Amino acid sequence: MKQNHAFGRKQVRTAFLMALGLSVSIGCGSRQVHAEDLNSSAATEAEAGLSVNETPENTLSAVPQAPASDEAASASENEAEELNTLQPESNEAPDTAPAEVLSETSSDESDAPEDPEITSNDTETPADTSDGSENENAGDMTSEEDNSDTDSGSNADSGEDDPDADAEEPEEEPYLSVMDGTDFTPVYNFFYYKNRYSDLAAAFGDDQTAMLQHFLKYGMKEQRQASEDFDEISYRYAYQDLRRAYGRDYEKYYYHYLKWGINEGRVTTDVTVLQNPVTVQDGTDYSLVYDYDYYTQNNPDVARYYGQDDIGVLSHFVKYGMKEQRQAISSFNEKSYRYTYTDLRLAYGSDYAKYYEHYIKYGNKENRKTTGTTDFTPITKLNGTDYSLVYDFNYYVSSYSDLQKFRDDDAGAIRHFVKYGMKDERQAISSFDEKSYRRAYQDLRIAYEDNYAKYYEHYIKYGYKEKRTATTGVTTLRNPVTKLDGKDYSKDYEYFSYLAENPDAAKKYGENDVAVLRDYVSNLIPKEAKKILDVARSWMGYNEKDGSFKEIIDVYNSYPPARSFLTMKYSYEWCAAFVTACAIKADLTDIIPSSPQCKRMVDLFKKIDGWDENDARVPNPGEIIMYDWQDSGKGDCTGWPDHVGIVESVKDGIITVIEGNHDEAVGRRKIAVNGKFIRGYCIPEYK
């Protein structure tokens, strides 16, 4: 068969052409015959009653009705305009698309519908294929040219003269192939198109205008082959640069061939396997971890959706496949790579895409192993600490249902244990139970109380070496704490009895026996001491800046015995007046002498035997502390008292005091027992 982009016979239906009213040309063998050359025979055809615009009234539902010629002309002009900027530089299929082709890629891809995610094997979207309605009998068309060549050869072999040797070779009947200035003959043949697709033949019959319009509006988008010399699928399979430029915008391949491909001698038929599949995306070459054929063969859901769209397949791998740990090449298995290298698991955890990226960028150069490893040795070290004495990966993950997500992520599991598991008192190995360890050792409870992570850390660092063996099986608290801040309460206090009598404390503190004892001691505070502390707390935050402290001064001045000694002005120092005002409001002036001055208050307490000169005293809540800011810190402080406050609590050797005129406001101060600046204590006889 001769490759000739204009097929037809010399017999011309002139009336048909003239009636179209279009700029048309007719395929006539190897030349183009224009309508104006055929005017002389128009009348003859008209007299024969030929109707050139006749179309079937009943068309197939699967075939859209061809649009009016103006609409088709507009579509063709738009497509031609889009192609004006896409001139590849070579007739070979390059590794990367030419600059002119790549410049069009983004706009072309944005026009096409976005590919939906594929993350499971349930995807049923079909791959790109030729239209399923092809006429299987289209291939039975017999070329008269082939028959002619066969006959000619037979005569030559016999040595006889061919009586028809000088006769002109018969040609196909002319057909419409040009529309709006574009000649589609290289990719379109009316008779081929009609005979190949029975649905079109039934819909349009011999209406050449409707048939060409269908091809332009629908056929190219549906990848229909309209010429034996051009197969869009073959053309697309053959050239990576075109696939990178046009993707699934199938009609662009036809236009590219018309504008450039035909002149570049590009292959247009008989390519049944995708050539040179794409491996580069966004500047990264994935060929070390990705092979198109392997990926599609081993991931049927991807193959079903993308078919021979290598751009889409690679995009799926980059966007989803790596995250889903899909193997995309025989030489690289992400799980094997991850299982082999602890450093990578610690670095990336369950961010699976990072393992592919690491191998591309570093692992290949480092000759790291990529296949054959089916299990891993669990991580037990984190941030320089070896947790193997208190942690076992398999025990930990299998013991708690919420940790099943770490079955394949040992780095994530140990991080969870260190950050949350120890604080939650989770047992992570059969040989160590933090609760047993805590219950067994009073010294650890005094040191750590309910800071549970510290018990694990203690055993790792000290307990194992000290041969502390009570690491499992201890179900009851041993040797409950009875001493607090240097005082032994064992004569009047027993841990288990106190919890039984105080269920609120049991619920609040549980097995924290230090906190339970502290609760007991706090309840030993006399009611009158609680009363003055409640008043002091109610004035917390009152200050000179906003004038709220004036309420305290007004309470002081409202009490005649205090006012008779000195009527306070708002400009005076008011720390002692604050203590006096608290006593006035708590109705405790009978046991707390009133005074606006620290030295006079000390003298008044001395008169009722309520002064303790001992700086090292461990005070009780409600006692009044005096300060001397000139104290050198050496020996007993006996200087002039400069400041005063009310003791709120004592914990772990630290005294918390509520003070007036503390930075010109009511606030708290913390100071160590027997600390510098403590002058002594005024001790009211609370009931």
PDB file of all heavy atoms in Angstrom, residues 121-140:
ATOM      1  N   ASN A 121      -7.207  -1.549  45.861  1.00  0.00           N
ATOM      2  CA  ASN A 121      -7.367  -2.360  44.668  1.00  0.00           C
ATOM      3  C   ASN A 121      -8.793  -2.378  44.159  1.00  0.00           C
ATOM      4  O   ASN A 121      -9.151  -3.179  43.316  1.00  0.00           O
ATOM      5  CB  ASN A 121      -6.928  -3.801  44.972  1.00  0.00           C
ATOM      6  CG  ASN A 121      -5.439  -3.867  45.209  1.00  0.00           C
ATOM      7  OD1 ASN A 121      -4.713  -3.006  44.720  1.00  0.00           O
ATOM      8  ND2 ASN A 121      -4.988  -4.852  45.942  1.00  0.00           N
ATOM      9  N   ASP A 122      -9.631  -1.452  44.677  1.00  0.00           N
ATOM     10  CA  ASP A 122     -11.032  -1.451  44.282  1.00  0.00           C
ATOM     11  C   ASP A 122     -11.292  -0.555  43.084  1.00  0.00           C
ATOM     12  O   ASP A 122     -12.403  -0.436  42.609  1.00  0.00           O
ATOM     13  CB  ASP A 122     -11.902  -0.978  45.455  1.00  0.00           C
ATOM     14  CG  ASP A 122     -11.850  -1.982  46.592  1.00  0.00           C
ATOM     15  OD1 ASP A 122     -11.659  -3.171  46.309  1.00  0.00           O
ATOM     16  OD2 ASP A 122     -12.005  -1.537  47.738  1.00  0.00           O
ATOM     17  N   THR A 123     -10.250   0.147  42.608  1.00  0.00           N
ATOM     18  CA  THR A 123     -10.447   1.085  41.518  1.00  0.00           C
ATOM     19  C   THR A 123     -10.849   0.353  40.262  1.00  0.00           C
ATOM     20  O   THR A 123     -10.196  -0.585  39.846  1.00  0.00           O
ATOM     21  CB  THR A 123      -9.147   1.862  41.265  1.00  0.00           C
ATOM     22  OG1 THR A 123      -8.745   2.433  42.500  1.00  0.00           O
ATOM     23  CG2 THR A 123      -9.369   2.937  40.221  1.00  0.00           C
ATOM     24  N   GLU A 124     -11.920   0.812  39.625  1.00  0.00           N
ATOM     25  CA  GLU A 124     -12.426   0.122  38.450  1.00  0.00           C
ATOM     26  C   GLU A 124     -12.403   1.003  37.210  1.00  0.00           C
ATOM     27  O   GLU A 124     -12.940   0.654  36.178  1.00  0.00           O
ATOM     28  CB  GLU A 124     -13.867  -0.334  38.704  1.00  0.00           C
ATOM     29  CG  GLU A 124     -13.961  -1.439  39.764  1.00  0.00           C
ATOM     30  CD  GLU A 124     -13.250  -2.707  39.346  1.00  0.00           C
ATOM     31  OE1 GLU A 124     -13.056  -2.923  38.134  1.00  0.00           O
ATOM     32  OE2 GLU A 124     -12.879  -3.487  40.224  1.00  0.00           O
ATOM     33  N   THR A 125     -11.812   2.223  37.306  1.00  0.00           N
ATOM     34  CA  THR A 125     -11.821   3.107  36.156  1.00  0.00           C
ATOM     35  C   THR A 125     -11.016   2.499  35.034  1.00  0.00           C
ATOM     36  O   THR A 125      -9.897   2.070  35.249  1.00  0.00           O
ATOM     37  CB  THR A 125     -11.199   4.454  36.549  1.00  0.00           C
ATOM     38  OG1 THR A 125     -11.839   4.884  37.742  1.00  0.00           O
ATOM     39  CG2 THR A 125     -11.379   5.462  35.445  1.00  0.00           C
ATOM     40  N   PRO A 126     -11.532   2.430  33.836  1.00  0.00           N
ATOM     41  CA  PRO A 126     -10.827   1.738  32.754  1.00  0.00           C
ATOM     42  C   PRO A 126      -9.626   2.507  32.271  1.00  0.00           C
ATOM     43  O   PRO A 126      -9.548   3.712  32.398  1.00  0.00           O
ATOM     44  CB  PRO A 126     -11.879   1.644  31.659  1.00  0.00           C
ATOM     45  CG  PRO A 126     -12.780   2.798  31.933  1.00  0.00           C
ATOM     46  CD  PRO A 126     -12.798   2.976  33.420  1.00  0.00           C
ATOM     47  N   ALA A 127      -8.664   1.762  31.693  1.00  0.00           N
ATOM     48  CA  ALA A 127      -7.494   2.386  31.102  1.00  0.00           C
ATOM     49  C   ALA A 127      -7.876   3.007  29.780  1.00  0.00           C
ATOM     50  O   ALA A 127      -8.918   2.746  29.214  1.00  0.00           O
ATOM     51  CB  ALA A 127      -6.412   1.335  30.897  1.00  0.00           C
ATOM     52  N   ASP A 128      -6.968   3.848  29.249  1.00  0.00           N
ATOM     53  CA  ASP A 128      -7.250   4.439  27.959  1.00  0.00           C
ATOM     54  C   ASP A 128      -7.113   3.392  26.872  1.00  0.00           C
ATOM     55  O   ASP A 128      -6.130   2.709  26.765  1.00  0.00           O
ATOM     56  CB  ASP A 128      -6.310   5.639  27.706  1.00  0.00           C
ATOM     57  CG  ASP A 128      -4.848   5.259  27.804  1.00  0.00           C
ATOM     58  OD1 ASP A 128      -4.571   4.078  28.017  1.00  0.00           O
ATOM     59  OD2 ASP A 128      -4.012   6.156  27.638  1.00  0.00           O
ATOM     60  N   THR A 129      -8.155   3.238  26.088  1.00  0.00           N
ATOM     61  CA  THR A 129      -8.148   2.271  25.000  1.00  0.00           C
ATOM     62  C   THR A 129      -8.846   2.898  23.822  1.00  0.00           C
ATOM     63  O   THR A 129      -9.511   3.925  23.922  1.00  0.00           O
ATOM     64  CB  THR A 129      -8.884   0.987  25.399  1.00  0.00           C
ATOM     65  OG1 THR A 129     -10.224   1.319  25.723  1.00  0.00           O
ATOM     66  CG2 THR A 129      -8.227   0.315  26.584  1.00  0.00           C
ATOM     67  N   SER A 130      -8.772   2.254  22.684  1.00  0.00           N
ATOM     68  CA  SER A 130      -9.521   2.720  21.520  1.00  0.00           C
ATOM     69  C   SER A 130     -10.992   2.462  21.760  1.00  0.00           C
ATOM     70  O   SER A 130     -11.378   1.650  22.596  1.00  0.00           O
ATOM     71  CB  SER A 130      -9.022   1.990  20.277  1.00  0.00           C
ATOM     72  OG  SER A 130      -7.668   2.281  20.037  1.00  0.00           O
ATOM     73  N   ASP A 131     -11.822   3.176  21.046  1.00  0.00           N
ATOM     74  CA  ASP A 131     -13.258   3.057  21.244  1.00  0.00           C
ATOM     75  C   ASP A 131     -13.722   1.627  21.074  1.00  0.00           C
ATOM     76  O   ASP A 131     -13.337   0.923  20.147  1.00  0.00           O
ATOM     77  CB  ASP A 131     -13.966   3.966  20.226  1.00  0.00           C
ATOM     78  CG  ASP A 131     -15.435   4.068  20.557  1.00  0.00           C
ATOM     79  OD1 ASP A 131     -16.158   3.120  20.253  1.00  0.00           O
ATOM     80  OD2 ASP A 131     -15.822   5.096  21.132  1.00  0.00           O
ATOM     81  N   GLY A 132     -14.566   1.174  22.019  1.00  0.00           N
ATOM     82  CA  GLY A 132     -15.009  -0.216  22.009  1.00  0.00           C
ATOM     83  C   GLY A 132     -15.988  -0.530  20.922  1.00  0.00           C
ATOM     84  O   GLY A 132     -16.341  -1.694  20.710  1.00  0.00           O
ATOM     85  N   SER A 133     -16.453   0.490  20.216  1.00  0.00           N
ATOM     86  CA  SER A 133     -17.462   0.237  19.197  1.00  0.00           C
ATOM     87  C   SER A 133     -16.856   0.060  17.813  1.00  0.00           C
ATOM     88  O   SER A 133     -17.510   0.206  16.807  1.00  0.00           O
ATOM     89  CB  SER A 133     -18.457   1.400  19.185  1.00  0.00           C
ATOM     90  OG  SER A 133     -17.789   2.587  18.844  1.00  0.00           O
ATOM     91  N   GLU A 134     -15.531  -0.215  17.743  1.00  0.00           N
ATOM     92  CA  GLU A 134     -14.882  -0.373  16.450  1.00  0.00           C
ATOM     93  C   GLU A 134     -15.537  -1.492  15.663  1.00  0.00           C
ATOM     94  O   GLU A 134     -15.930  -2.524  16.195  1.00  0.00           O
ATOM     95  CB  GLU A 134     -13.396  -0.685  16.644  1.00  0.00           C
ATOM     96  CG  GLU A 134     -12.613   0.482  17.222  1.00  0.00           C
ATOM     97  CD  GLU A 134     -11.125   0.161  17.289  1.00  0.00           C
ATOM     98  OE1 GLU A 134     -10.762  -0.912  16.782  1.00  0.00           O
ATOM     99  OE2 GLU A 134     -10.382   0.968  17.824  1.00  0.00           O
ATOM    100  N   ASN A 135     -15.584  -1.282  14.374  1.00  0.00           N
ATOM    101  CA  ASN A 135     -16.126  -2.299  13.478  1.00  0.00           C
ATOM    102  C   ASN A 135     -15.045  -3.305  13.182  1.00  0.00           C
ATOM    103  O   ASN A 135     -14.010  -2.978  12.601  1.00  0.00           O
ATOM    104  CB  ASN A 135     -16.602  -1.608  12.179  1.00  0.00           C
ATOM    105  CG  ASN A 135     -17.292  -2.591  11.256  1.00  0.00           C
ATOM    106  OD1 ASN A 135     -17.264  -3.790  11.531  1.00  0.00           O
ATOM    107  ND2 ASN A 135     -17.890  -2.077  10.192  1.00  0.00           N
ATOM    108  N   GLU A 136     -15.217  -4.507  13.674  1.00  0.00           N
ATOM    109  CA  GLU A 136     -14.203  -5.542  13.479  1.00  0.00           C
ATOM    110  C   GLU A 136     -14.009  -5.881  12.021  1.00  0.00           C
ATOM    111  O   GLU A 136     -13.015  -6.495  11.626  1.00  0.00           O
ATOM    112  CB  GLU A 136     -14.594  -6.805  14.257  1.00  0.00           C
ATOM    113  CG  GLU A 136     -14.698  -6.598  15.757  1.00  0.00           C
ATOM    114  CD  GLU A 136     -13.348  -6.192  16.337  1.00  0.00           C
ATOM    115  OE1 GLU A 136     -12.322  -6.556  15.732  1.00  0.00           O
ATOM    116  OE2 GLU A 136     -13.344  -5.515  17.368  1.00  0.00           O
ATOM    117  N   ASN A 137     -14.983  -5.526  11.184  1.00  0.00           N
ATOM    118  CA  ASN A 137     -14.870  -5.855   9.765  1.00  0.00           C
ATOM    119  C   ASN A 137     -14.156  -4.774   8.988  1.00  0.00           C
ATOM    120  O   ASN A 137     -14.004  -4.880   7.767  1.00  0.00           O
ATOM    121  CB  ASN A 137     -16.264  -6.068   9.168  1.00  0.00           C
ATOM    122  CG  ASN A 137     -16.958  -7.261   9.807  1.00  0.00           C
ATOM    123  OD1 ASN A 137     -16.286  -8.240  10.103  1.00  0.00           O
ATOM    124  ND2 ASN A 137     -18.263  -7.170  10.009  1.00  0.00           N
ATOM    125  N   ALA A 138     -13.724  -3.694   9.714  1.00  0.00           N
ATOM    126  CA  ALA A 138     -13.077  -2.606   8.991  1.00  0.00           C
ATOM    127  C   ALA A 138     -11.826  -3.081   8.297  1.00  0.00           C
ATOM    128  O   ALA A 138     -11.413  -2.580   7.264  1.00  0.00           O
ATOM    129  CB  ALA A 138     -12.748  -1.464   9.944  1.00  0.00           C
ATOM    130  N   GLY A 139     -11.148  -4.050   8.908  1.00  0.00           N
ATOM    131  CA  GLY A 139      -9.899  -4.532   8.333  1.00  0.00           C
ATOM    132  C   GLY A 139     -10.098  -5.322   7.067  1.00  0.00           C
ATOM    133  O   GLY A 139      -9.130  -5.721   6.408  1.00  0.00           O
ATOM    134  N   ASP A 140     -11.364  -5.616   6.697  1.00  0.00           N
ATOM    135  CA  ASP A 140     -11.601  -6.403   5.479  1.00  0.00           C
ATOM    136  C   ASP A 140     -11.582  -5.546   4.227  1.00  0.00           C
ATOM    137  O   ASP A 140     -11.749  -6.053   3.112  1.00  0.00           O
ATOM    138  CB  ASP A 140     -12.973  -7.091   5.585  1.00  0.00           C
ATOM    139  CG  ASP A 140     -12.958  -8.124   6.709  1.00  0.00           C
ATOM    140  OD1 ASP A 140     -11.844  -8.571   7.055  1.00  0.00           O
ATOM    141  OD2 ASP A 140     -14.043  -8.451   7.218  1.00  0.00           O
TER     142      ASP A 140
END
